[in-house]
Amino acid sequence: QQVRGIRLAHALDSQGLIIKTDRIAVVGAGAAGMSFALCLALLGYKVTLYDPASKALQLQSASPRLLHPHIYEWPDIGSLDDRAGLPLLDWTSDTGGSVSGKLQNDFAAALAKLQDLHFQAEHKLVAMEKVNGDWRLTIEHNGAQEKRRFQKVILAMGFGEEFPCGDAEPVAYWK
């Protein structure tokens, strides 16, 4: 998921599908959303990452399951390397809880340094609509709703969490 997030950020940037003045929202602070948001911020974009959980990678935080970065590449050469080898948010084989803890710490350190990257924990997307070429998101936080405008929105909600949002009809990753 991290590789997909990083590749999408690179593709949007290199093909000119986003511009530096765009305000970009990323909904979903799992591995893909977090990696995508950080990658774009490092490339100089203004990015806000939203998640209804209290921290990034919350779903993975307590997992005792062993994660290996190259498990799907076995038996290829290099598939036994414990290091993911990513340009950002890199990690080594360990339990899901340990890996997510390391990635959370690395992401927090990046947040402290990057003024155009913002993480809004406990903020849930409840609606979105197209308004004059922009996207207006309705975000719920502490029982109150507010509307925010962005030029680009990336829905990085996985595991069947995708849902119709006004003018946007997301396609589930699993289909």
Side-chain angles (χ1 to χ4, degrees), residues 15 23 32 38 48 54 112 119 167:
Q15 294 180 22
R23 290 185 61 234
L38 178 55
T48 304
S54 61
F119 177 47
D167 296 337

Side-chain angles (χ1 to χ4, degrees), residues 119-139:
F119 177 47
Q120 300 293 309
E122 300 177 347
H123 283 68
K124 181 180 180 181
L125 174 66
V126 293
M128 62 188 282
E129 60 186 320
K130 195 81 162 160
V131 178
N132 299 328
D134 289 345
W135 288 98
R136 183 168 53 200
L137 276 57
T138 303
I139 306 288

Side-chain angles (χ1 to χ4, degrees), residues 3-65:
V3 171
R4 288 181 176 158
I6 293 167
R7 285 184 175 168
L8 178 60
H10 178 264
L12 292 174
D13 176 63
S14 66
Q15 294 180 22
L17 297 173
I18 51 177
I19 57 175
K20 298 293 183 192
T21 56
D22 282 344
R23 290 185 61 234
I24 302 165
V26 180
V27 181
M34 188 174 66
S35 299
F36 176 83
L38 178 55
C39 187
L40 277 190
L42 289 169
L43 290 170
Y45 293 94
K46 295 172 184 67
V47 183
T48 304
L49 175 62
Y50 294 99
D51 200 274
S54 61
K55 60 185 175 182
L57 292 169
Q58 179 130 349
L59 291 176
Q60 297 86 352
S61 295
S63 174
R65 189 180 111 201

Side-chain angles (χ1 to χ4, degrees), residues 1 20 30 38 43 52-53 68 72 74-75 78 82 84 88 102 110 112 117 125 127 132 149 153 161 171:
Q1 297 306 320
K20 298 293 183 192
L38 178 55
L43 290 170
H68 193 285
Y72 296 111
W74 188 87
D82 280 344
L88 52 94
K102 183 211 181 299
L117 177 61
L125 174 66
N132 299 328
R149 284 182 102 143
V153 177
E161 297 293 323
V171 176

